[in-house]
């Protein structure tokens, strides 16, 4: 099987597969390919927001401490292979094609999802490459997510929980928390992000108690937020000073979660050094997550699409406005998200907003978004992302402002693929 045949094979599966009510389908898939997950040790991460950043902080600290660290993320950001990595190395096309051919020989049916097939490929590669540890991100939820076929992880991590995928996970934060709590297993330690509300914390506590799992929730009294700078966020935790390389008031919270996970791993004989933890926080950047690109004009690219993600970006933009910066936005959203409130929040902070719809089949029509945005600022629908970006950057340059690309991870991916990151 060559690379094209491999991608055609993966693409022949539906995005979600048939509805699942248990893990039998994912377990059967693992059985068919030899249960590679049983050869591996895991840190398992669930949550609505913050999974990707927390994963990268933990993974980089492990890598800097000398461990061969597998990473499986969802979805990919700019291209398929960026979701399956060992340290900073993406799965190569030869390995992907060979492993994909092996999977194809063992699964003739089309009942699986693209996500499950990708997970099978990742686990096989991590096993064959003899990874010391794998940091694994769930797809949707936790309890019924196919990644939950793994044996009890060293640490189960639950980041910030808010409303998203409500048709699948439930229409309240409490119902969603029940699903996320499903990754907590007997004998593993659990770490919960400190920015969750009391109802969520109570659900996680109850689950941890039922599973006889140690639960760690960082204490806000040990944490002091200092300021948001365009180059990151300084903060103090347990008397130590840190600074994230990533923008967003939520990033210090993600970093604190990662600090506690890394310190838990030391108790399980993974000697993650304090220097490695610090260097990880100070250097990790994730594409498409309030990603600051120091061009002329500066650009912020963000794929936040649910209410919590939009709020995180809004707080950053509001802070920049207080510093006298004018915000020129390019925005597009898909119809499966709460696009109305998203557009309202971002347009209210924008000097001018350009709306686009050519980045995804289910994008909300640009004219419809412009109609919403025009209640709050000057709004203009555009025929293409390229046209919108060119116009927005020109305007941002003229007013010494910042160009913002936001609303959907598909849009962020499309932008990065077309325009790249000149700071790399």
């Amino acid at each position: 099987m060559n690379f094209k045949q491999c991608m055609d094979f993966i693409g022949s599966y539906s995005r979600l597969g048939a509805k699942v009510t248990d893990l039998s389908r994912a377990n059967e898939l693992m059985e068919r390919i030899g249960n590679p997950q049983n050869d591996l040790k895991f840190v398992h991460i669930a949550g609505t927001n913050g999974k990707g950043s927390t994963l990268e902080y933990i993974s980089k600290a492990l890598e800097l401490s000398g461990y061969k660290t597998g990473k499986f993320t969802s979805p990919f950001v700019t291209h398929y292979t960026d979701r399956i990595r060992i340290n900073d190395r993406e799965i190569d096309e030869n390995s992907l094609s060979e492993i994909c051919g092996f999977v194809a020989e063992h699964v003739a049916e089309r009942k699986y999802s693209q996500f499950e097939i990708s997970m099978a490929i990742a686990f096989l590669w991590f096993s064959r490459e003899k990874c010391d540890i794998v940091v694994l991100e769930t797809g949707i939820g936790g309890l019924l997510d196919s990644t939950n076929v793994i044996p009890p992880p060293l640490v189960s991590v639950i980041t910030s929980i808010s409303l998203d995928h409500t048709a699948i996970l439930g229409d309240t934060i409490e119902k969603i928390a029940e699903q996320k709590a499903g990754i907590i297993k007997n004998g593993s330690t659990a770490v919960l992000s400190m920015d969750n509300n009391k109802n969520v914390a109570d659900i996680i506590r109850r689950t941890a108690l039922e599973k006889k799992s140690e639960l760690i929730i960082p204490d806000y009294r040990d944490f002091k937020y200092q300021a948001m700078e365009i180059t990151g966020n300084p903060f103090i935790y347990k008397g130590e000073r840190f600074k994230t390389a990533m923008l967003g008031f939520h990033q210090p919270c993600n970093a604190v979660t990662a600090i506690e996970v890394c310190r838990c791993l030391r108790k399980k004989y993974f000697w993650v050094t304090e220097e490695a933890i610090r260097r990880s926080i100070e250097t990790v950047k994730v594409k498409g997550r309030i990603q600051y690109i120091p061009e002329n004009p500066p650009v912020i690219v963000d794929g936040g699409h649910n209410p919590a993600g939009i709020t995180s970006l809004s707080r950053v933009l509001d802070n920049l406005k207080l510093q006298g910066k004018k915000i020129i936005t390019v925005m597009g959203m898909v119809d499966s998200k709460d696009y109305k409130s998203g557009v309202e929040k971002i347009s209210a902070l924008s000097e001018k907003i350009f709306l686009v719809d050519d980045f995804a089949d289910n994008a909300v029509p640009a004219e419809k978004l412009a109609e919403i945005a025009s209640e709050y600022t000057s709004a203009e629908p555009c025929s293409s992302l390229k046209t919108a970006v060119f116009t927005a950057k020109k305007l941002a340059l003229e007013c010494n402002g910042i160009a913002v690309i936001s609303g959907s991870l598909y849009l962020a991916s499309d932008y990065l693929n077309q325009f790249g990151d000149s700071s790399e």
Side-chain angles (χ1 to χ4, degrees):
M1 182 178 283
N2 59 35
F3 182 70
K4 182 182 183 306
Q5 291 170 327
C6 167
M7 297 313 298
D8 287 345
F9 171 76
I10 295 167
S12 69
Y13 289 86
S14 67
R15 195 171 66 85
L16 294 175
K19 184 178 179 180
V20 297
T21 56
D22 56 34
L23 292 173
S24 58
R25 190 174 79 193
N27 275 314
E28 179 192 286
L29 174 59
M30 291 297 102
E31 287 279 352
R32 285 172 175 264
I33 62 169
N35 284 314
Q37 77 280 8
N38 293 337
D39 301 330
L40 301 164
K41 295 178 180 178
F42 292 93
V43 171
H44 199 189
I45 305 178
T48 308
N49 293 95
K51 296 192 298 293
S53 303
T54 305
L55 177 145
E56 296 296 344
Y57 289 135
I58 297 165
S59 302
K60 178 57 72 172
L62 282 159
E63 178 190 341
L64 291 170
S65 298
Y67 293 102
K68 193 173 191 178
T69 307
K71 295 184 273 190
F72 181 66
T73 57
S74 174
F76 66 82
V77 180
T78 60
H79 52 278
Y80 179 81
T81 56
D82 71 26
R83 72 185 307 173
I84 304 172
R85 291 165 289 154
I86 295 175
N87 295 346
D88 286 329
R89 173 170 61 99
E90 295 177 9
I91 187 170
D92 60 280
E93 291 187 5
N94 287 338
S95 295
L96 178 61
S97 300
E98 190 274 318
I99 293 171
C100 191
F102 174 84
V103 172
E105 290 174 7
H106 290 78
V107 290
E109 304 94 331
R110 290 291 180 271
K111 62 183 177 182
Y112 305 109
S113 66
Q114 286 183 21
F115 183 86
E116 287 166 331
I117 295 296
S118 296
M119 180 186 75
I121 292 167
F123 287 175
L124 282 165
W125 191 50
F126 297 150
S127 175
R128 292 180 185 187
E129 291 288 316
K130 295 182 168 49
C131 284
D132 297 310
I133 190 168
V134 173
V135 188
L136 176 67
E137 182 182 340
T138 58
I140 296 175
L143 180 65
L144 300 179
D145 189 78
S146 60
T147 60
N148 214 22
V149 297
I150 63 170
L154 298 171
V155 187
S156 301
V157 187
I158 298 174
T159 62
S160 177
I161 295 175
S162 58
L163 294 173
D164 200 6
H165 301 293
T166 52
I168 299 172
L169 302 178
D171 56 3
T172 68
I173 288 177
E174 289 76 19
K175 288 177 183 176
I176 293 171
E178 294 277 2
Q179 291 294 315
K180 308 291 185 183
I183 69 166
I184 299 173
K185 291 188 171 74
N186 289 324
S188 64
T189 301
V191 176
L192 175 67
S193 176
M194 63 184 176
D195 58 351
N196 284 291
N197 68 32
K198 182 181 182 300
N199 288 351
V200 168
D202 287 346
I203 289 166
I204 304 304
R205 282 194 187 93
R206 186 179 70 238
T207 306
L209 191 63
E210 290 169 356
K211 299 292 185 180
K212 298 180 173 59
S213 176
E214 176 191 16
L215 175 63
I216 295 169
I217 306 176
D219 192 329
Y220 259 121
R221 290 172 295 184
D222 294 328
F223 173 80
K224 184 178 180 182
Y225 189 91
Q226 294 192 288
M228 192 203 84
E229 300 172 5
I230 203 67
T231 54
N233 294 266
F235 66 96
I236 297 171
Y237 183 58
K238 292 184 175 178
E240 297 181 62
R241 294 181 181 274
F242 299 89
K243 183 179 179 180
T244 69
M246 295 182 68
L247 276 177
F249 290 90
H250 57 295
Q251 282 304 335
C253 192
N254 293 336
V256 165
T257 303
I259 290 167
E260 289 297 345
V261 172
C262 290
R263 290 173 178 172
C264 283
L265 288 171
R266 279 211 292 266
K267 298 175 184 176
K268 299 171 187 288
Y269 306 105
F270 279 82
W271 304 110
V272 187
T273 69
E274 288 296 314
E275 178 59 23
I277 295 171
R278 181 178 303 281
R279 284 178 59 200
S280 170
I281 291 167
E282 291 175 350
T283 58
V284 159
K285 295 180 180 180
V286 182
K287 289 182 177 181
R289 268 72 168 190
I290 314 188
Q291 177 186 358
Y292 178 74
I293 303 175
E295 298 175 338
N296 190 25
V299 176
I300 291 175
V301 184
D302 183 54
H305 49 258
N306 55 42
I310 293 287
T311 298
S312 293
L313 176 62
S314 299
R315 292 183 70 194
V316 170
L317 299 184
D318 191 45
N319 184 270
L320 290 170
K321 278 178 68 71
L322 290 173
Q323 296 174 32
K325 294 292 184 183
K326 287 183 166 56
I327 309 300
I328 312 299
T329 302
V330 175
M331 191 171 193
M333 295 193 72
V334 296
D335 59 15
S336 59
K337 303 299 176 184
D338 180 8
Y339 60 84
K340 186 174 185 293
S341 66
V343 171
E344 287 173 344
K345 282 185 178 180
I346 301 302
S347 60
L349 294 165
S350 302
E351 191 82 6
K352 170 99 179 183
I353 188 166
F354 299 91
L355 293 312
V356 295
D357 58 15
D358 64 332
F359 60 92
D361 292 339
N362 62 333
V364 181
E367 289 79 8
K368 188 171 186 177
L369 296 181
E371 189 177 330
I372 298 167
S374 63
E375 296 289 322
Y376 301 88
T377 191
S378 173
E380 182 179 327
C382 284
S383 58
S384 71
L385 175 60
K386 188 173 183 179
T387 300
V389 168
F390 176 81
T391 312
K393 284 186 176 181
K394 184 173 182 291
L395 187 55
L397 199 58
E398 290 170 356
C399 68
N400 192 30
I402 293 178
V404 176
I405 318 299
S406 71
S408 168
L409 193 55
Y410 296 114
L411 176 60
S413 175
D414 202 1
Y415 174 85
L416 291 169
N417 278 322
Q418 285 193 51
F419 299 94
D421 178 351
S422 61
S423 66
E424 289 183 330

